[in-house]
Amino acid sequence: MLHNQTRPLHVYSLASGDVCLAQVVARLQGLLPQGGAVALAWEDALLATGCVGHPVGSLTLQEDAGRLLQQGTQSGLAGGRAGEVWTDADSGGRVALIAEVEESWPMPQRQAWLAAARLLLDAVMLSMRQQLRIAGLERSKRLQKALFEIADLAGAELELEEMLAHFHQILGSLMYAENCYIVECDEQQSSLRFLYFADTRDDFVPERERSYRHEEMPGSLTFAVLRQGRVMSGPSRELLKTLDSPQARTQGLESADWLGVPMWRNGSVCGAIVVQSYEIDARYSDEDRALLNFVAKHILTAMDRRAAHVQLERHVQRRTVELERSNRSLQAEVVERRRAEMVQAALFRISELAVSCPSQGDFHAQLHAVLGTLLDAHNFYIAMVNEPGDGLEFVYSVDEKKPRLSSRPFSSGLTEYTIRQRRPMLLMREDIDSLIAAGEVREFGFKSHCWLGVPLMNDGEVIGVIAVQSYTPGSRFTVEDQRLLAFVARNIGASLERQRDRERLLEAHAGLERRVSERTHELGEVNQKLLAQISERMDAEQRLTHLALHDVLTGLPNRLQLQETLEQTIEHARQGIGTEFALLFLDLDRFKWVNDSIGHAAGDQMLVQVAQRLVRMVRAGDMVARLGGDEFALLVHGKGGVEAMLELGRRMLRALEMPMWVEGRELFPSGSVGIALWHPRYGSGADLLRDADAAMYRAKLKGQDRCVVFDAAMHAEAVYRLELEADLRRAIKNDDFVPYYQPIVSLAEGRVVGHEALLRWKHEQRGVLAPGEFLALGEESGLIEQVDWLIYTQVATDLARATQGYVSVNVSPRHFRSPGFAQRLLQLLASAGADPQRLRIEITEMALLEDAPRTLRTLRQLRERGIVVQLDDFGTGYSALSYLHRFPISVLKIDRSFVGGLHAEGSRNTLALVDGVLSLARTLGIETIGEGVETEQQRQTLRQLGCNYAQGYLLGHPAPFETMAQRLQVP
């Protein structure tokens, strides 16, 4: 029997298709003779499968029609039956029609009835298929429209709940969805959160942002969908029976039909969408399940797109804030650079004015105008120390309250106070009143609300003061103004002095002109003498010009002339009218020793001879300049590149190394040379001079008496050193330095008698650093003293905790320059509760060389309190026996270079040297420690030679305090 998968053939729904075919069958039955019956069976891709008959109770005839459809054979027209089976040309479906009639019904009428029935059924079924296709297209159109609306919602500026409400409205246009909710869950499906909830009957209102755990909702169909990851559909009562806990009651009202669809993301259930019906007539079909599953995927995609969109907007907003912050920083930098450019332009203008202004008054007025572009200078004056040095000359004054200031002897005014302090003074009204009350100053004329004065310096001497002041509270000067005026004043002092010299020269010229005119009128016969005086005046002018651009001692061009020549040379090179060139920067090595040992006069003679040697090495068109002190610069033209300049630098050093006689002494000077070659990146001579100076500094670091060419690596190293110095300052602030303790062992007994505290830096990025990686920078920057005191503090604390052995610490020569070093160290030990007799300090021979009397006093103060002094690295310096006799040295440390060479090839001399040092120490009653013991053979040799103690990797590596405590069995 032909049957439908969902219902028997004799059960019919009210579907429009079945009703239409039933009406056609009834019409066909009406065309039969009275008492006839008709049955129709069909199998079609669009119309599905079914049977219908008329009269309605003709079930047997319908079953015959079904069998006829399955067999596919013609039944014929004979007897009491008339039937036919055919295939529809439009859809390929098959149709079976049977009529039960009287046998007397004529054959022609039967044939006519079958033909008419076939035509009518084909037409009706074609119409039904078209209606179904149209309905399918309309459903597809509605679905497509819904998907477009869902996609549009993903990019709409809506809150999540509002967007999900629109999703609900769209879903309602596709199926029955009055009661709908959407949830999301965690990765383990152990909790869920309601994103959206709409129900016409249930009074349950989920809390927003709250997560409901599985234990709170026993028998939840929603959790079943989430955990099983499949679609669940049917009455809620029936679905509950399929759960693992059928005794659990359902959450909410009982549903006539319930449909839940899981939502998947990346292969895992992330949520679900549920619709339910409380009406018996409103049920969900397979099509509704497929539709909800399909729409759920698009809703999840839209939600993900919206979440990504929100995240993108947040990222864009965060990035916008970062860019705005960067923009503000860049704007501040631009303002700062523009201010620096203004200051630089002002300095250049001041230098030009010192040369170009016809009179001192004009120079002062234009100087005032230049300063007015940098700060508020409405009330401004310049005070210079007079020639005798006992008073002030107010060479320029502009003030809204006071008339022109007149010269006066030194008194207790603010100007004199600034000269005495030798530093810039920024004083508010209350500061001035305090100084007046203390008797430091007294005020002349109107009271200033704010006063800013900066001393003018020339060759280390105060020659005057420039000052600005304000009489109103609304106008105040800042610390930035003070720094700016102080920076400008460093350049103004020399310019004012030159301008004053120029004014004196002009006055002298004017006087000379008067004398010449008088003598011309009086003594025409002495014309030759007058010409000689004119020549002398011209020589004086030339000498003054020469002095302004040349070094007084050597006669070489000075820094100013070198700068001017460099600027011209760079400009010519940029225009392509000049040759290639390079700048060589020479600094003499150990020149300070010459001044300190045989005097500054000998040093000047040495500089003169060096200048002469340099001049003999250059060609016409090149320049040799003295920059100051023991620094020289050579501007050399010519091709050949790096190799040629290096060869010139080596020849220069060889020429310097030739001996010279100064003050009856034979000296052998040497130097370090830095070379900077012309490159289009240089915008000024100062940049070229800076890089040559940096290359010279690198040459000194490499051991002096050598040449180095500036390259990009030097710039990178400078940046690295700057960053390392910043890290070092942060590390000092954060106390990131710790002592590592290396044991010192008795060679005779084999036991640990003490430890040496070695500096380590716990760098936040590079780990634990040894001193070799930062000690030079610390010494250069002066930060190493702060680092030392941090270590001394930790050592004192550890020494108080350990009850056995001693600890030795290294003391830099810098500390002996401080008169309070010994007292501070003893106070540190007392505060920590540490015994001074268990602390030893290690010093190098350099500390004894720099200031022997002060060092001796400091060591005696420490020795009086029981602190033992050890001489470190003995044998690598001067190793003068006078140290051992004059200073309270109790222990000698034999340098690791000698210990390491005891058994090397040709070690006989080293062995004899170590034996001699040990014998000397025994004679003087001084203990000895061998450093760097790394082999058993070295330890045995030192023991046989009579060395008392040793330290090295063989005997123990440097380690934190905890390891030292274990060695000494400290609790």
Side-chain angles (χ1 to χ4, degrees):
M1 180 180 67
L2 182 66
H3 61 278
N4 191 291
Q5 293 181 354
T6 59
R7 65 191 182 196
L9 286 175
H10 61 276
V11 178
Y12 298 94
S13 69
L14 296 178
S16 59
D18 291 354
V19 173
C20 183
L21 289 175
Q23 294 173 352
V24 173
V25 170
R27 293 284 183 90
L28 291 176
Q29 191 269 340
L31 298 176
L32 293 176
Q34 187 174 3
V38 178
L40 175 68
W42 69 89
E43 190 177 65
D44 188 88
L46 290 178
L47 301 179
T49 302
C51 286
V52 66
H54 197 80
V56 177
S58 56
L59 297 179
T60 303
L61 188 62
Q62 293 180 34
E63 292 176 355
D64 292 343
R67 282 191 293 269
L68 179 62
L69 180 66
Q70 292 176 357
Q71 295 171 1
T73 58
Q74 300 287 339
S75 64
L77 303 176
R81 293 283 180 94
E84 185 177 3
V85 178
W86 72 90
T87 300
D88 184 84
D90 175 60
S91 66
R94 294 191 307 137
V95 183
L97 178 66
I98 295 180
E100 191 174 58
V101 296
E102 296 178 355
E103 294 184 5
S104 60
W105 198 33
M107 185 62 64
Q109 293 181 4
R110 293 187 183 195
Q111 292 176 345
W113 180 86
L114 282 175
R118 179 172 180 174
L119 290 175
L120 179 60
L121 287 171
D122 285 345
V124 171
M125 295 181 78
L126 176 61
S127 175
M128 291 173 61
R129 293 189 197 97
Q130 291 175 346
Q131 291 176 5
L132 289 174
R133 292 191 181 102
I134 291 172
L137 291 175
E138 289 178 351
R139 287 195 301 271
S140 299
K141 182 178 179 181
R142 289 198 304 273
L143 180 59
Q144 186 178 27
K145 180 181 177 183
L147 294 180
F148 282 142
E149 291 177 353
I150 291 173
D152 291 340
L153 284 176
E157 298 292 335
L158 299 174
E159 294 296 330
L160 179 61
E161 187 172 359
E162 186 178 358
M163 183 181 73
L164 294 179
H166 283 284
F167 286 159
H168 183 198
Q169 183 179 359
I170 294 170
L171 184 62
S173 67
L174 302 176
M175 60 184 292
Y176 178 77
E178 285 190 358
N179 308 296
C180 173
Y181 59 85
I182 302 174
V183 299
E184 67 175 0
C185 64
D186 57 10
E187 294 182 359
Q188 292 75 28
Q189 294 83 41
S190 60
S191 66
L192 60 82
R193 186 169 66 92
F194 287 88
L195 301 178
Y196 178 77
F197 187 88
D199 199 290
T200 57
R201 295 189 183 182
D202 198 344
D203 56 358
F204 171 70
V205 179
E207 299 180 26
R208 294 189 62 182
E209 304 301 329
R210 178 189 169 186
S211 294
Y212 294 85
R213 298 194 57 79
H214 180 260
E215 295 78 7
E216 300 178 65
M217 305 177 70
S220 170
L221 294 176
T222 307
F223 267 112
V225 171
L226 295 174
R227 292 193 163 189
Q228 296 177 16
R230 63 182 180 86
V231 178
M232 296 184 65
S233 176
S236 59
R237 182 185 299 274
E238 298 298 328
L239 292 176
L240 282 173
K241 295 178 181 180
T242 65
L243 300 183
D244 294 338
S245 301
Q247 71 278 9
R249 63 181 184 87
T250 184
Q251 299 291 319
L253 299 178
E254 183 176 327
S255 302
D257 203 1
W258 192 93
L259 175 59
V261 174
M263 294 191 292
W264 294 78
R265 181 187 292 118
N266 299 328
S268 176
V269 175
C270 63
I273 180 170
V274 177
V275 293
Q276 54 186 336
S277 169
Y278 302 110
E279 304 293 339
I280 299 299
D281 296 336
R283 297 293 187 92
Y284 299 112
S285 63
D286 292 340
E287 183 179 355
D288 293 331
R289 287 192 290 272
L291 175 64
L292 185 60
N293 194 16
F294 180 71
V295 172
K297 296 177 182 178
H298 287 273
I299 290 178
L300 178 61
T301 302
M303 290 170 59
D304 289 344
R305 286 178 55 194
R306 183 188 179 279
H309 180 70
V310 171
Q311 185 177 4
L312 177 61
E313 287 184 342
R314 291 175 180 171
H315 177 73
V316 170
Q317 185 178 8
R318 183 169 61 255
R319 185 59 179 161
T320 301
V321 172
E322 293 175 356
L323 291 176
E324 288 176 351
R325 189 182 301 114
S326 299
N327 185 41
R328 288 193 296 269
S329 176
L330 290 174
Q331 288 178 352
E333 184 177 349
V334 169
V335 171
E336 185 64 25
R337 290 190 177 184
R338 287 178 178 172
R339 185 177 182 88
E341 291 174 358
M342 291 177 59
V343 173
Q344 190 66 32
L347 295 180
F348 284 140
R349 180 60 180 158
I350 291 170
S351 298
E352 293 175 356
L353 292 176
V355 178
S356 60
C357 280
S359 67
Q360 191 172 6
D362 291 340
F363 172 72
H364 296 155
Q366 295 195 40
L367 174 62
H368 180 205
V370 172
L371 288 178
T373 63
L374 303 178
L375 75 165
D376 182 9
H378 290 90
N379 305 299
F380 169 79
Y381 65 82
I382 304 173
M384 303 293 290
V385 178
N386 59 18
E387 285 291 342
D390 58 359
L392 295 175
E393 294 180 0
F394 292 90
V395 297
Y396 182 79
S397 174
V398 174
D399 197 286
E400 58 184 322
K401 299 289 187 180
K402 303 176 185 177
R404 180 175 178 81
L405 300 175
S406 57
S407 302
R408 72 176 185 227
F410 282 143
S411 62
S412 57
L414 291 174
T415 305
E416 291 85 346
Y417 180 74
T418 302
I419 293 175
R420 292 196 303 271
Q421 297 296 320
R422 298 176 61 86
R423 59 185 177 88
M425 303 299 298
L426 175 58
L427 303 172
M428 300 302 171
R429 182 67 254 168
E430 53 271 20
D431 301 326
I432 299 174
D433 292 339
S434 298
L435 291 174
I436 293 175
E440 294 286 342
V441 300
R442 67 186 183 89
E443 207 166 11
F444 300 94
F446 291 93
K447 293 185 176 182
S448 301
H449 179 74
C450 184
W451 191 89
L452 173 59
V454 177
L456 300 173
M457 310 293 291
N458 189 25
D459 293 334
E461 297 294 329
V462 179
I463 62 172
V465 172
I466 59 173
V468 291
Q469 54 189 330
S470 168
Y471 299 108
T472 60
S475 178
R476 302 179 62 171
F477 301 108
T478 64
V479 176
E480 182 64 28
D481 294 330
Q482 175 184 325
R483 286 197 293 265
L484 177 63
L485 192 60
F487 179 73
V488 174
R490 285 197 291 268
N491 296 271
I492 292 178
S495 299
L496 285 171
E497 191 66 22
R498 288 198 301 269
Q499 183 61 29
R500 188 156 67 172
D501 291 342
R502 178 184 175 86
E503 188 71 20
R504 292 168 183 162
L505 179 62
L506 292 175
E507 291 177 359
H509 287 177
L512 181 60
E513 290 287 352
R514 289 193 298 271
R515 289 194 299 274
V516 169
S517 178
E518 292 171 359
R519 295 293 295 275
T520 301
H521 287 85
E522 295 175 1
L523 303 170
E525 67 275 7
V526 292
N527 186 44
Q528 293 299 324
K529 294 182 179 180
L530 292 177
L531 291 176
Q533 291 179 357
I534 293 173
S535 177
E536 182 181 352
R537 183 185 65 182
M538 295 177 64
D539 290 342
E541 290 180 352
Q542 292 177 358
R543 285 195 299 272
L544 288 174
T545 302
H546 182 84
L547 289 175
L549 298 176
H550 290 77
D551 176 51
V552 177
L553 177 64
T554 62
L556 295 176
N558 59 12
R559 183 184 292 269
L560 178 61
Q561 185 173 355
L562 176 64
Q563 287 274 22
E564 294 177 355
T565 306
L566 274 176
E567 298 296 338
Q568 295 176 0
T569 306
I570 291 174
E571 184 62 27
H572 289 167
R574 287 189 177 278
Q575 296 176 359
I577 60 177
T579 60
E580 297 180 7
F581 65 94
L583 184 67
L584 284 73
F585 194 111
L586 169 67
D587 184 90
L588 298 181
D589 298 333
R590 300 175 297 278
F591 178 73
K592 183 177 182 299
W593 291 6
V594 176
N595 283 336
D596 294 344
S597 58
I598 60 178
H600 288 271
D604 290 345
Q605 293 183 29
M606 179 178 177
L607 291 175
V608 172
Q609 294 192 41
V610 168
Q612 293 171 353
R613 293 184 182 184
L614 295 177
V615 170
R616 288 196 294 268
M617 293 189 63
V618 299
R619 299 166 298 181
D622 296 338
M623 174 183 285
V624 178
R626 183 191 176 203
L627 304 180
D630 59 343
E631 295 177 344
F632 295 86
L634 282 73
L635 178 58
V636 181
H637 297 268
K639 298 182 179 180
V642 175
E643 293 301 328
M645 293 302 106
L646 281 173
E647 178 59 29
L648 176 59
R650 296 187 189 102
R651 287 193 288 110
M652 185 192 313
L653 293 177
R654 289 195 295 269
L656 282 178
E657 292 172 356
M658 299 297 294
M660 64 174 59
W661 287 92
V662 175
E663 295 288 339
R665 298 176 183 269
E666 186 177 20
L667 302 179
F668 296 87
S670 65
S672 301
V673 177
I675 303 173
L677 280 74
W678 153 248
H679 190 277
R681 68 172 178 271
Y682 289 115
S684 66
D687 295 341
L688 194 65
L689 191 60
R690 176 201 62 207
D691 289 350
D693 189 8
M696 181 275 297
Y697 182 74
R698 171 60 65 86
K700 281 189 175 294
L701 291 179
K702 287 187 175 182
Q704 302 182 345
D705 193 24
R706 63 183 65 216
C707 301
V708 172
V709 178
F710 181 83
D711 55 18
M714 293 185 188
H715 177 71
E717 181 180 355
V719 174
Y720 169 76
R721 289 173 62 85
L722 184 63
E723 293 176 350
L724 185 61
E725 182 177 348
D727 290 346
L728 190 59
R729 293 182 184 275
R730 284 194 297 271
I732 292 173
K733 183 178 180 181
N734 298 334
D735 196 5
D736 290 337
F737 298 92
V738 295
Y740 271 40
Y741 297 95
Q742 186 174 33
I744 300 173
V745 178
S746 170
L747 291 177
E749 302 175 3
R751 63 182 180 88
V752 176
V753 297
H755 290 80
E756 179 181 359
L758 301 174
L759 172 63
R760 294 294 185 268
W761 177 6
K762 287 189 175 180
H763 195 280
E764 56 187 3
Q765 296 176 346
R766 298 170 57 191
V768 179
L769 302 182
E773 300 188 51
F774 62 89
L775 194 60
L777 178 62
E779 290 282 358
E780 179 184 339
S781 61
L783 299 174
I784 197 63
E785 291 187 48
Q786 301 180 48
V787 175
D788 284 346
W789 283 110
L790 292 176
I791 294 299
Y792 296 160
T793 301
Q794 296 185 50
V795 168
T797 302
D798 294 343
L799 192 62
R801 294 168 58 191
T803 59
Q804 303 176 28
Y806 68 84
V807 175
S808 64
V809 294
N810 290 278
V811 178
S812 170
R814 286 176 171 269
H815 291 294
F816 292 100
R817 302 171 192 163
S818 173
F821 169 72
Q823 188 64 30
R824 181 177 177 183
L825 183 61
L826 292 171
Q827 289 177 354
L828 180 63
L829 292 171
S831 300
D835 184 3
Q837 296 184 2
R838 293 176 52 224
L839 179 69
R840 298 186 178 187
I841 65 170
E842 296 188 10
I843 62 174
T844 61
E845 296 177 45
M846 184 60 68
L848 307 179
L849 276 174
E850 290 191 353
D851 191 346
R854 175 182 293 178
T855 303
L856 180 59
R857 287 194 301 271
T858 301
L859 294 180
R860 284 177 175 172
Q861 291 176 9
L862 296 175
R863 193 68 189 91
E864 289 172 358
R865 295 294 299 276
I867 296 178
V868 175
V869 180
Q870 300 183 165
L871 185 59
D872 196 11
D873 300 334
F874 185 76
T876 59
Y878 291 93
S879 303
L881 298 180
S882 60
Y883 300 157
L884 307 180
H885 176 70
R886 294 172 53 198
F887 293 91
I889 296 172
S890 302
V891 181
L892 288 182
K893 298 191 74 174
I894 302 173
D895 188 69
R896 64 180 62 249
S897 61
F898 296 109
V899 175
L902 286 174
H903 305 98
E905 183 178 352
S907 60
R908 182 174 301 175
N909 293 335
T910 303
L911 187 63
L913 178 61
V914 173
D915 187 25
V917 171
L918 294 174
S919 299
L920 173 64
R922 284 193 298 272
T923 302
L924 297 176
I926 297 176
E927 293 182 339
T928 53
I929 301 175
E931 294 184 296
V933 177
E934 298 183 356
T935 66
E936 183 63 31
Q937 189 177 14
Q938 292 172 354
R939 178 168 69 172
Q940 293 299 334
T941 301
L942 288 175
R943 181 178 180 181
Q944 294 170 5
L945 292 176
C947 184
N948 304 110
Y949 306 100
Q951 68 181 102
Y953 288 165
L954 177 67
L955 306 173
H957 288 261
F961 171 77
E962 290 74 14
T963 303
M964 182 185 80
Q966 293 175 2
R967 295 179 183 134
L968 298 176
Q969 298 180 352
V970 177

